[in-house]
mmCIF file with all atom_site columns, all heavy atoms in Angstrom:
data_model
loop_
_atom_site.group_PDB
_atom_site.id
_atom_site.type_symbol
_atom_site.label_atom_id
_atom_site.label_alt_id
_atom_site.label_comp_id
_atom_site.label_asym_id
_atom_site.label_entity_id
_atom_site.label_seq_id
_atom_site.pdbx_PDB_ins_code
_atom_site.Cartn_x
_atom_site.Cartn_y
_atom_site.Cartn_z
_atom_site.occupancy
_atom_site.B_iso_or_equiv
_atom_site.pdbx_formal_charge
_atom_site.auth_seq_id
_atom_site.auth_comp_id
_atom_site.auth_asym_id
_atom_site.auth_atom_id
_atom_site.pdbx_PDB_model_num
ATOM 1   N N   . LEU A 1 62 ? 1.863  5.369  7.544  1.00 55.00 ? 62 LEU A N   1
ATOM 2   C CA  . LEU A 1 62 ? 1.796  4.928  6.157  1.00 55.00 ? 62 LEU A CA  1
ATOM 3   C C   . LEU A 1 62 ? 0.391  4.974  5.580  1.00 55.00 ? 62 LEU A C   1
ATOM 4   O O   . LEU A 1 62 ? 0.217  5.138  4.390  1.00 55.00 ? 62 LEU A O   1
ATOM 5   C CB  . LEU A 1 62 ? 2.354  3.506  6.046  1.00 55.00 ? 62 LEU A CB  1
ATOM 6   C CG  . LEU A 1 62 ? 3.760  3.325  6.601  1.00 55.00 ? 62 LEU A CG  1
ATOM 7   C CD1 . LEU A 1 62 ? 4.181  1.883  6.501  1.00 55.00 ? 62 LEU A CD1 1
ATOM 8   C CD2 . LEU A 1 62 ? 4.725  4.211  5.859  1.00 55.00 ? 62 LEU A CD2 1
ATOM 9   N N   . ASN A 1 63 ? -0.620 4.836  6.411  1.00 57.00 ? 63 ASN A N   1
ATOM 10  C CA  . ASN A 1 63 ? -1.986 4.830  5.886  1.00 57.00 ? 63 ASN A CA  1
ATOM 11  C C   . ASN A 1 63 ? -2.562 6.237  5.753  1.00 57.00 ? 63 ASN A C   1
ATOM 12  O O   . ASN A 1 63 ? -3.731 6.395  5.492  1.00 57.00 ? 63 ASN A O   1
ATOM 13  C CB  . ASN A 1 63 ? -2.896 3.943  6.745  1.00 57.00 ? 63 ASN A CB  1
ATOM 14  C CG  . ASN A 1 63 ? -2.917 4.360  8.198  1.00 57.00 ? 63 ASN A CG  1
ATOM 15  O OD1 . ASN A 1 63 ? -2.268 5.317  8.579  1.00 57.00 ? 63 ASN A OD1 1
ATOM 16  N ND2 . ASN A 1 63 ? -3.653 3.634  9.008  1.00 57.00 ? 63 ASN A ND2 1
ATOM 17  N N   . ARG A 1 64 ? -1.715 7.280  5.915  1.00 54.00 ? 64 ARG A N   1
ATOM 18  C CA  . ARG A 1 64 ? -2.179 8.648  5.752  1.00 54.00 ? 64 ARG A CA  1
ATOM 19  C C   . ARG A 1 64 ? -1.473 9.349  4.601  1.00 54.00 ? 64 ARG A C   1
ATOM 20  O O   . ARG A 1 64 ? -1.452 10.580 4.541  1.00 54.00 ? 64 ARG A O   1
ATOM 21  C CB  . ARG A 1 64 ? -1.946 9.444  7.046  1.00 54.00 ? 64 ARG A CB  1
ATOM 22  C CG  . ARG A 1 64 ? -2.825 8.982  8.182  1.00 54.00 ? 64 ARG A CG  1
ATOM 23  C CD  . ARG A 1 64 ? -2.734 9.900  9.370  1.00 54.00 ? 64 ARG A CD  1
ATOM 24  N NE  . ARG A 1 64 ? -3.003 11.272 8.985  1.00 54.00 ? 64 ARG A NE  1
ATOM 25  C CZ  . ARG A 1 64 ? -2.308 12.316 9.437  1.00 54.00 ? 64 ARG A CZ  1
ATOM 26  N NH1 . ARG A 1 64 ? -1.314 12.149 10.261 1.00 54.00 ? 64 ARG A NH1 1
ATOM 27  N NH2 . ARG A 1 64 ? -2.625 13.526 9.051  1.00 54.00 ? 64 ARG A NH2 1
ATOM 28  N N   . ALA A 1 65 ? -0.885 8.629  3.680  1.00 50.00 ? 65 ALA A N   1
ATOM 29  C CA  . ALA A 1 65 ? -0.107 9.239  2.604  1.00 50.00 ? 65 ALA A CA  1
ATOM 30  C C   . ALA A 1 65 ? -0.955 10.093 1.669  1.00 50.00 ? 65 ALA A C   1
ATOM 31  O O   . ALA A 1 65 ? -0.433 10.822 0.852  1.00 50.00 ? 65 ALA A O   1
ATOM 32  C CB  . ALA A 1 65 ? 0.637  8.167  1.805  1.00 50.00 ? 65 ALA A CB  1
ATOM 33  N N   . TYR A 1 66 ? -2.281 10.035 1.803  1.00 56.00 ? 66 TYR A N   1
ATOM 34  C CA  . TYR A 1 66 ? -3.144 10.846 0.946  1.00 56.00 ? 66 TYR A CA  1
ATOM 35  C C   . TYR A 1 66 ? -3.098 12.320 1.335  1.00 56.00 ? 66 TYR A C   1
ATOM 36  O O   . TYR A 1 66 ? -3.444 13.184 0.562  1.00 56.00 ? 66 TYR A O   1
ATOM 37  C CB  . TYR A 1 66 ? -4.595 10.351 1.018  1.00 56.00 ? 66 TYR A CB  1
ATOM 38  C CG  . TYR A 1 66 ? -5.152 10.318 2.423  1.00 56.00 ? 66 TYR A CG  1
ATOM 39  C CD1 . TYR A 1 66 ? -5.692 11.450 2.995  1.00 56.00 ? 66 TYR A CD1 1
ATOM 40  C CD2 . TYR A 1 66 ? -5.087 9.155  3.167  1.00 56.00 ? 66 TYR A CD2 1
ATOM 41  C CE1 . TYR A 1 66 ? -6.171 11.427 4.289  1.00 56.00 ? 66 TYR A CE1 1
ATOM 42  C CE2 . TYR A 1 66 ? -5.571 9.121  4.461  1.00 56.00 ? 66 TYR A CE2 1
ATOM 43  C CZ  . TYR A 1 66 ? -6.114 10.254 5.019  1.00 56.00 ? 66 TYR A CZ  1
ATOM 44  O OH  . TYR A 1 66 ? -6.582 10.231 6.299  1.00 56.00 ? 66 TYR A OH  1
ATOM 45  N N   . ASP A 1 67 ? -2.671 12.643 2.532  1.00 64.00 ? 67 ASP A N   1
ATOM 46  C CA  . ASP A 1 67 ? -2.586 14.011 3.014  1.00 64.00 ? 67 ASP A CA  1
ATOM 47  C C   . ASP A 1 67 ? -1.396 14.691 2.319  1.00 64.00 ? 67 ASP A C   1
ATOM 48  O O   . ASP A 1 67 ? -0.280 14.183 2.368  1.00 64.00 ? 67 ASP A O   1
ATOM 49  C CB  . ASP A 1 67 ? -2.409 13.973 4.531  1.00 64.00 ? 67 ASP A CB  1
ATOM 50  C CG  . ASP A 1 67 ? -2.255 15.343 5.131  1.00 64.00 ? 67 ASP A CG  1
ATOM 51  O OD1 . ASP A 1 67 ? -1.173 15.939 4.953  1.00 64.00 ? 67 ASP A OD1 1
ATOM 52  O OD2 . ASP A 1 67 ? -3.207 15.798 5.783  1.00 64.00 ? 67 ASP A OD2 1
ATOM 53  N N   . ASN A 1 68 ? -1.613 15.853 1.660  1.00 71.00 ? 68 ASN A N   1
ATOM 54  C CA  . ASN A 1 68 ? -0.543 16.496 0.890  1.00 71.00 ? 68 ASN A CA  1
ATOM 55  C C   . ASN A 1 68 ? 0.660  16.880 1.735  1.00 71.00 ? 68 ASN A C   1
ATOM 56  O O   . ASN A 1 68 ? 1.796  16.789 1.284  1.00 71.00 ? 68 ASN A O   1
ATOM 57  C CB  . ASN A 1 68 ? -1.077 17.718 0.144  1.00 71.00 ? 68 ASN A CB  1
ATOM 58  C CG  . ASN A 1 68 ? -1.821 17.330 -1.108 1.00 71.00 ? 68 ASN A CG  1
ATOM 59  O OD1 . ASN A 1 68 ? -1.621 16.248 -1.640 1.00 71.00 ? 68 ASN A OD1 1
ATOM 60  N ND2 . ASN A 1 68 ? -2.685 18.196 -1.581 1.00 71.00 ? 68 ASN A ND2 1
ATOM 61  N N   . THR A 1 69 ? 0.443  17.308 2.969  1.00 75.00 ? 69 THR A N   1
ATOM 62  C CA  . THR A 1 69 ? 1.569  17.640 3.848  1.00 75.00 ? 69 THR A CA  1
ATOM 63  C C   . THR A 1 69 ? 2.401  16.401 4.105  1.00 75.00 ? 69 THR A C   1
ATOM 64  O O   . THR A 1 69 ? 3.638  16.432 4.020  1.00 75.00 ? 69 THR A O   1
ATOM 65  C CB  . THR A 1 69 ? 1.049  18.212 5.189  1.00 75.00 ? 69 THR A CB  1
ATOM 66  O OG1 . THR A 1 69 ? 0.237  19.349 4.908  1.00 75.00 ? 69 THR A OG1 1
ATOM 67  C CG2 . THR A 1 69 ? 2.194  18.606 6.092  1.00 75.00 ? 69 THR A CG2 1
ATOM 68  N N   . VAL A 1 70 ? 1.733  15.303 4.415  1.00 74.00 ? 70 VAL A N   1
ATOM 69  C CA  . VAL A 1 70 ? 2.427  14.038 4.645  1.00 74.00 ? 70 VAL A CA  1
ATOM 70  C C   . VAL A 1 70 ? 3.119  13.595 3.365  1.00 74.00 ? 70 VAL A C   1
ATOM 71  O O   . VAL A 1 70 ? 4.267  13.147 3.389  1.00 74.00 ? 70 VAL A O   1
ATOM 72  C CB  . VAL A 1 70 ? 1.451  12.961 5.164  1.00 74.00 ? 70 VAL A CB  1
ATOM 73  C CG1 . VAL A 1 70 ? 2.132  11.607 5.234  1.00 74.00 ? 70 VAL A CG1 1
ATOM 74  C CG2 . VAL A 1 70 ? 0.908  13.356 6.526  1.00 74.00 ? 70 VAL A CG2 1
ATOM 75  N N   . LEU A 1 71 ? 2.447  13.722 2.232  1.00 77.00 ? 71 LEU A N   1
ATOM 76  C CA  . LEU A 1 71 ? 3.008  13.316 0.947  1.00 77.00 ? 71 LEU A CA  1
ATOM 77  C C   . LEU A 1 71 ? 4.307  14.067 0.662  1.00 77.00 ? 71 LEU A C   1
ATOM 78  O O   . LEU A 1 71 ? 5.295  13.479 0.217  1.00 77.00 ? 71 LEU A O   1
ATOM 79  C CB  . LEU A 1 71 ? 1.983  13.565 -0.160 1.00 77.00 ? 71 LEU A CB  1
ATOM 80  C CG  . LEU A 1 71 ? 2.195  12.866 -1.475 1.00 77.00 ? 71 LEU A CG  1
ATOM 81  C CD1 . LEU A 1 71 ? 2.188  11.363 -1.309 1.00 77.00 ? 71 LEU A CD1 1
ATOM 82  C CD2 . LEU A 1 71 ? 1.111  13.286 -2.458 1.00 77.00 ? 71 LEU A CD2 1
ATOM 83  N N   . ASN A 1 72 ? 4.346  15.371 0.940  1.00 78.00 ? 72 ASN A N   1
ATOM 84  C CA  . ASN A 1 72 ? 5.565  16.151 0.729  1.00 78.00 ? 72 ASN A CA  1
ATOM 85  C C   . ASN A 1 72 ? 6.685  15.693 1.654  1.00 78.00 ? 72 ASN A C   1
ATOM 86  O O   . ASN A 1 72 ? 7.839  15.622 1.248  1.00 78.00 ? 72 ASN A O   1
ATOM 87  C CB  . ASN A 1 72 ? 5.290  17.647 0.930  1.00 78.00 ? 72 ASN A CB  1
ATOM 88  C CG  . ASN A 1 72 ? 4.442  18.223 -0.181 1.00 78.00 ? 72 ASN A CG  1
ATOM 89  O OD1 . ASN A 1 72 ? 4.462  17.729 -1.298 1.00 78.00 ? 72 ASN A OD1 1
ATOM 90  N ND2 . ASN A 1 72 ? 3.688  19.253 0.129  1.00 78.00 ? 72 ASN A ND2 1
ATOM 91  N N   . MET A 1 73 ? 6.350  15.367 2.912  1.00 78.00 ? 73 MET A N   1
ATOM 92  C CA  . MET A 1 73 ? 7.355  14.844 3.842  1.00 78.00 ? 73 MET A CA  1
ATOM 93  C C   . MET A 1 73 ? 7.896  13.505 3.358  1.00 78.00 ? 73 MET A C   1
ATOM 94  O O   . MET A 1 73 ? 9.101  13.249 3.447  1.00 78.00 ? 73 MET A O   1
ATOM 95  C CB  . MET A 1 73 ? 6.754  14.681 5.245  1.00 78.00 ? 73 MET A CB  1
ATOM 96  C CG  . MET A 1 73 ? 6.554  15.982 5.971  1.00 78.00 ? 73 MET A CG  1
ATOM 97  S SD  . MET A 1 73 ? 5.871  15.884 7.655  1.00 78.00 ? 73 MET A SD  1
ATOM 98  C CE  . MET A 1 73 ? 5.816  14.200 8.084  1.00 78.00 ? 73 MET A CE  1
ATOM 99  N N   . VAL A 1 74 ? 6.999  12.667 2.836  1.00 78.00 ? 74 VAL A N   1
ATOM 100 C CA  . VAL A 1 74 ? 7.413  11.356 2.325  1.00 78.00 ? 74 VAL A CA  1
ATOM 101 C C   . VAL A 1 74 ? 8.360  11.531 1.146  1.00 78.00 ? 74 VAL A C   1
ATOM 102 O O   . VAL A 1 74 ? 9.416  10.893 1.073  1.00 78.00 ? 74 VAL A O   1
ATOM 103 C CB  . VAL A 1 74 ? 6.187  10.513 1.902  1.00 78.00 ? 74 VAL A CB  1
ATOM 104 C CG1 . VAL A 1 74 ? 6.625  9.246  1.199  1.00 78.00 ? 74 VAL A CG1 1
ATOM 105 C CG2 . VAL A 1 74 ? 5.329  10.192 3.097  1.00 78.00 ? 74 VAL A CG2 1
ATOM 106 N N   . THR A 1 75 ? 7.996  12.410 0.217  1.00 82.00 ? 75 THR A N   1
ATOM 107 C CA  . THR A 1 75 ? 8.825  12.632 -0.972 1.00 82.00 ? 75 THR A CA  1
ATOM 108 C C   . THR A 1 75 ? 10.221 13.074 -0.572 1.00 82.00 ? 75 THR A C   1
ATOM 109 O O   . THR A 1 75 ? 11.216 12.543 -1.073 1.00 82.00 ? 75 THR A O   1
ATOM 110 C CB  . THR A 1 75 ? 8.168  13.678 -1.893 1.00 82.00 ? 75 THR A CB  1
ATOM 111 O OG1 . THR A 1 75 ? 6.877  13.203 -2.269 1.00 82.00 ? 75 THR A OG1 1
ATOM 112 C CG2 . THR A 1 75 ? 8.997  13.910 -3.146 1.00 82.00 ? 75 THR A CG2 1
ATOM 113 N N   . LYS A 1 76 ? 10.310 14.027 0.332  1.00 83.00 ? 76 LYS A N   1
ATOM 114 C CA  . LYS A 1 76 ? 11.617 14.490 0.786  1.00 83.00 ? 76 LYS A CA  1
ATOM 115 C C   . LYS A 1 76 ? 12.359 13.373 1.530  1.00 83.00 ? 76 LYS A C   1
ATOM 116 O O   . LYS A 1 76 ? 13.553 13.173 1.304  1.00 83.00 ? 76 LYS A O   1
ATOM 117 C CB  . LYS A 1 76 ? 11.473 15.715 1.679  1.00 83.00 ? 76 LYS A CB  1
ATOM 118 C CG  . LYS A 1 76 ? 12.828 16.245 2.143  1.00 83.00 ? 76 LYS A CG  1
ATOM 119 C CD  . LYS A 1 76 ? 12.726 17.558 2.831  1.00 83.00 ? 76 LYS A CD  1
ATOM 120 C CE  . LYS A 1 76 ? 14.036 18.112 3.322  1.00 83.00 ? 76 LYS A CE  1
ATOM 121 N NZ  . LYS A 1 76 ? 15.244 17.407 3.161  1.00 83.00 ? 76 LYS A NZ  1
ATOM 122 N N   . GLY A 1 77 ? 11.649 12.659 2.388  1.00 80.00 ? 77 GLY A N   1
ATOM 123 C CA  . GLY A 1 77 ? 12.280 11.569 3.133  1.00 80.00 ? 77 GLY A CA  1
ATOM 124 C C   . GLY A 1 77 ? 12.833 10.491 2.232  1.00 80.00 ? 77 GLY A C   1
ATOM 125 O O   . GLY A 1 77 ? 13.942 9.991  2.448  1.00 80.00 ? 77 GLY A O   1
ATOM 126 N N   . ILE A 1 78 ? 12.074 10.124 1.210  1.00 82.00 ? 78 ILE A N   1
ATOM 127 C CA  . ILE A 1 78 ? 12.538 9.089  0.267  1.00 82.00 ? 78 ILE A CA  1
ATOM 128 C C   . ILE A 1 78 ? 13.736 9.602  -0.523 1.00 82.00 ? 78 ILE A C   1
ATOM 129 O O   . ILE A 1 78 ? 14.705 8.883  -0.727 1.00 82.00 ? 78 ILE A O   1
ATOM 130 C CB  . ILE A 1 78 ? 11.396 8.622  -0.649 1.00 82.00 ? 78 ILE A CB  1
ATOM 131 C CG1 . ILE A 1 78 ? 10.402 7.799  0.180  1.00 82.00 ? 78 ILE A CG1 1
ATOM 132 C CG2 . ILE A 1 78 ? 11.926 7.820  -1.835 1.00 82.00 ? 78 ILE A CG2 1
ATOM 133 C CD1 . ILE A 1 78 ? 9.166  7.393  -0.559 1.00 82.00 ? 78 ILE A CD1 1
ATOM 134 N N   . TYR A 1 79 ? 13.679 10.870 -0.957 1.00 85.00 ? 79 TYR A N   1
ATOM 135 C CA  . TYR A 1 79 ? 14.811 11.433 -1.691 1.00 85.00 ? 79 TYR A CA  1
ATOM 136 C C   . TYR A 1 79 ? 16.063 11.463 -0.816 1.00 85.00 ? 79 TYR A C   1
ATOM 137 O O   . TYR A 1 79 ? 17.160 11.117 -1.267 1.00 85.00 ? 79 TYR A O   1
ATOM 138 C CB  . TYR A 1 79 ? 14.501 12.836 -2.222 1.00 85.00 ? 79 TYR A CB  1
ATOM 139 C CG  . TYR A 1 79 ? 15.638 13.371 -3.058 1.00 85.00 ? 79 TYR A CG  1
ATOM 140 C CD1 . TYR A 1 79 ? 15.774 12.975 -4.377 1.00 85.00 ? 79 TYR A CD1 1
ATOM 141 C CD2 . TYR A 1 79 ? 16.597 14.210 -2.501 1.00 85.00 ? 79 TYR A CD2 1
ATOM 142 C CE1 . TYR A 1 79 ? 16.838 13.418 -5.147 1.00 85.00 ? 79 TYR A CE1 1
ATOM 143 C CE2 . TYR A 1 79 ? 17.662 14.654 -3.253 1.00 85.00 ? 79 TYR A CE2 1
ATOM 144 C CZ  . TYR A 1 79 ? 17.780 14.256 -4.574 1.00 85.00 ? 79 TYR A CZ  1
ATOM 145 O OH  . TYR A 1 79 ? 18.847 14.689 -5.322 1.00 85.00 ? 79 TYR A OH  1
ATOM 146 N N   . ASP A 1 80 ? 15.915 11.854 0.448  1.00 83.00 ? 80 ASP A N   1
ATOM 147 C CA  . ASP A 1 80 ? 17.058 11.907 1.371  1.00 83.00 ? 80 ASP A CA  1
ATOM 148 C C   . ASP A 1 80 ? 17.716 10.540 1.517  1.00 83.00 ? 80 ASP A C   1
ATOM 149 O O   . ASP A 1 80 ? 18.937 10.444 1.628  1.00 83.00 ? 80 ASP A O   1
ATOM 150 C CB  . ASP A 1 80 ? 16.618 12.401 2.752  1.00 83.00 ? 80 ASP A CB  1
ATOM 151 C CG  . ASP A 1 80 ? 16.250 13.883 2.763  1.00 83.00 ? 80 ASP A CG  1
ATOM 152 O OD1 . ASP A 1 80 ? 16.554 14.589 1.779  1.00 83.00 ? 80 ASP A OD1 1
ATOM 153 O OD2 . ASP A 1 80 ? 15.644 14.318 3.759  1.00 83.00 ? 80 ASP A OD2 1
#
Side-chain angles (χ1 to χ4, degrees):
L62 305 177
N63 57 1
R64 292 189 54 222
Y66 56 84
D67 178 287
N68 281 338
T69 303
V70 173
L71 197 60
N72 290 333
M73 286 181 8
V74 172
T75 301
K76 181 171 179 358
I78 289 174
Y79 184 80
D80 289 347

